[in-house]
C-alpha cells in the first residue's frame, strides 16, 4: 500500500512541479522508511539550529556575486557555536553543483515550480498543516524569490502554489 501511495504522489508531482535540483526518490520525498525523518522537520513553524560554524554560499544574491567556500579559519574542530540554521544559503558541498543551482535561481519557471524550493514546501505545508511559515521564519530569507512567495501566501493562502506557478505550467498540470 505504501508503494501505491508513493507512486501516486510521484506521478501527480511530476506533472505539476519541476525537479531540476534533485530527483524524486523515496529518500528525497520522505517515503517509506524516510517518512519519520521528513515529518520531524516538516512543520512550517520549525526553527532549525546548528552548532557547526560553517558557511557555504552559492546564491550570488547573498554573497555579492561571489562564491564563498567553507570557512573553518575562525574555529577549531571542537569549537561549537549555536546559531539559527541554515547558516549556508545553499545545499551542502557535494549535494548540488553551483552551476545547476545558479541556473535554477535565475530561471522563473524553475524558481516558481521547483519542488525543492518554495513551490514544493508550501504545497506540503498547506496540505499537511493548512498554513505557511510565520513572517519572521528563516524560510523567507533562505529560498530564492521568497518575498514573492511570502506575499503570495498572505494573499492567496493555500492557493499560493497554483497562483504563482500557473504562468509557468505546461498543459495538463493537475493542481
Amino acid at each position: 500500500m505504501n508503494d501505491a501511495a508513493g507512486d501516486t504522489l510521484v506521478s501527480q508531482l511530476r506533472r505539476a512541479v519541476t525537479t531540476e535540483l534533485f530527483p524524486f526518490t523515496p529518500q528525497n520525498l520522505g517515503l517509506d522508511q524516510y517518512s519519520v525523518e521528513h515529518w520531524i522537520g516538516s512543520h512550517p513553524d520549525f526553527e532549525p539550529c546548528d552548532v557547526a560554524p560553517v558557511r557555504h554560499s552559492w546564491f550570488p544574491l547573498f554573497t555579492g556575486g561571489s562564491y564563498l567556500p567553507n570557512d573553518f579559519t575562525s574555529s577549531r574542530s571542537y569549537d561549537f557555536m549555536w546559531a539559527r540554521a541554515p547558516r549556508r544559503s545553499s545545499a551542502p558541498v557535494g549535494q548540488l553543483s553551483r552551476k545547476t543551482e545558479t541556473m535554477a535561481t535565475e530561471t522563473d519557471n524553475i524558481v516558481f515550480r521547483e519542488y525543492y524550493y518554495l513551490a514544493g514546501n508550501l504545497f506540503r505545508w498547506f496540505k499537511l498543516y493548512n498554513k505557511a511559515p510565520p513572517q519572521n521564519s528563516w524560510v523567507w530569507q533562505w529560498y530564492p524569490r521568497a518575498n514573492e512567495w511570502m506575499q503570495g501566501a498572505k494573499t492567496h493562502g493555500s492557493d499560493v502554489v497554483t497562483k504563482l506557478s500557473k504562468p509557468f505550467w505546461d498543459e495538463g498540470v493537475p493542481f
Side-chain angles (χ1 to χ4, degrees):
M1 185 59 138
N2 202 11
D3 287 341
D7 291 345
T8 301
L9 171 67
V10 170
S11 71
Q12 288 180 351
L13 288 172
R14 277 207 172 115
R15 290 177 284 168
V17 295
T18 62
T19 55
E20 301 294 326
L21 301 180
F22 303 101
F24 280 147
T25 65
Q27 185 174 2
N28 288 345
L29 292 175
L31 301 174
D32 304 327
Q33 72 264 31
Y34 306 105
S35 61
V36 172
E37 295 164 1
H38 278 253
W39 178 79
I40 287 172
S42 71
H43 198 278
D45 292 341
F46 179 71
E47 292 187 39
C49 64
D50 70 29
V51 294
V54 177
R55 66 185 175 128
H56 189 81
S57 179
W58 290 337
F59 288 139
L61 295 175
F62 295 112
T63 61
S66 63
Y67 169 72
L68 298 176
N70 286 334
D71 181 4
F72 297 102
T73 57
S74 64
S75 69
R76 296 177 301 269
S77 61
Y78 55 84
D79 289 338
F80 296 109
M81 299 180 304
W82 181 91
R84 286 183 73 183
R87 292 187 201 196
R88 298 185 276 312
S89 61
S90 186
V93 176
Q95 297 292 314
L96 186 64
S97 78
R98 276 188 296 151
K99 181 181 176 185
T100 299
E101 190 162 19
T102 299
M103 182 268 309
T105 62
E106 295 171 352
T107 308
D108 285 349
N109 74 334
I110 295 175
V111 169
F112 287 103
R113 291 190 61 213
E114 177 59 39
Y115 180 77
Y116 299 104
Y117 282 160
L118 283 170
N121 283 296
L122 284 164
F123 182 79
R124 272 195 318 272
W125 290 324
F126 276 110
K127 290 291 182 189
L128 293 173
Y129 304 105
N130 200 31
K131 67 185 282 185
Q135 287 186 338
N136 65 347
S137 174
W138 63 275
V139 165
W140 307 123
Q141 288 135 25
W142 197 72
Y143 286 101
R145 308 288 288 273
N147 284 334
E148 292 167 73
W149 283 105
M150 182 171 62
Q151 293 305 315
K154 280 190 230 173
T155 304
H156 305 294
S158 62
D159 290 333
V160 62
V161 176
T162 301
K163 297 292 186 184
L164 293 185
S165 298
K166 193 172 187 172
F168 308 104
W169 285 357
D170 298 326
E171 297 226 5
V173 173
F175 276 117

